[in-house]
Structure formats: C-alpha cells, structure tokens
C-alpha cells in the first residue's frame, strides 16, 4: 500500500535547516519523485506552515524512505482495508 501524509502533522519541514519553501526532506529523498509540495496560507494552515506534502499514490513504490526522513512522523503506509 502507498505512503500517505497526515496533514495535521506535516509542517512542511518548517524550521529545518536547508528546507526552505519549495524543498522538503521527503521530496528530496523520494527516489521516484512522486511527492509534491502544495502551498499553504500560513495564517490559516496547521502549525503556521507555508507548504505541505502530497504523495501521488499511483507512482509510490512503497519503499518507505520518506517515513524515515520525516522528522514530524507525518508519513505512514496506508493500511489495507
Ligand atoms: S511530510 Fe514530513 S518531510 Fe514531508 S514536508 Fe511534511 S514534515 Fe517535511
Ligand atoms: S514510500 Fe518511497 S516511493 Fe512512496 S512516497 Fe515515500 S519515498 Fe516516495
């Protein structure tokens, strides 16, 4: 099953050195480039973030790399129903 981002936990890598807007740990480390960043309005977004990650589940290869690199522990594998 593909990986999924918990949108309450993802802070867009806010405050992590070298991860300014437009970059993030998960985006940099996904080998198939199936994670994209979507812009947020910091005044209304959770944790005042500027962006959040979205995973293309059709392209995700279930490698679990992004789970390990996310300091927010915001990514998990989607459980099969
Ligand atoms: S899911 Fe984790 S690694 Fe990816 S942008 Fe959000 S906080 Fe950063
Ligand atoms: S599990 Fe692997 S392929 Fe899927 S989004 Fe995470 S890093 Fe990318």
């Amino acid at each position: 099953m593909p990986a999924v981002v918990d949108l309450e936990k993802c802070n867009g890598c806010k405050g992590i050195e070298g991860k300014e807007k437009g970059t993030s740990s998960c985006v940099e480390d996904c080998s198939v480039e199936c994670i994209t960043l979507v812009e947020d309005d910091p005044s209304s977004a959770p944790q005042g973030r500027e962006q959040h990650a979205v995973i293309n589940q059709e392209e995700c290869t279930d490698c679990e790399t992004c789970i390990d690199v996310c300091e927010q522990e915001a990514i998990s594998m989607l459980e099969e129903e």
Side-chain angles (χ1 to χ4, degrees), residues 5 10-13 24-26 37 53 69-72 74-75:
V5 178
C10 173
N11 68 359
C13 287
S24 78
S25 303
C26 59
L37 294 167
V69 300
C70 177
E71 294 187 8
Q72 291 296 112
I75 307 178

Side-chain angles (χ1 to χ4, degrees), residues 1-4 26 29-35 55-56 59-67 75 77:
M1 299 299 285
V4 64
C26 59
D29 285 7
C30 176
S31 57
V32 295
E33 298 183 2
C34 73
I35 307 178
I55 295 172
N56 181 333
E59 296 177 6
C60 173
T61 59
D62 308 353
C63 72
E64 301 192 13
T65 300
C66 55
I67 294 175
I75 307 178
M77 300 309 286

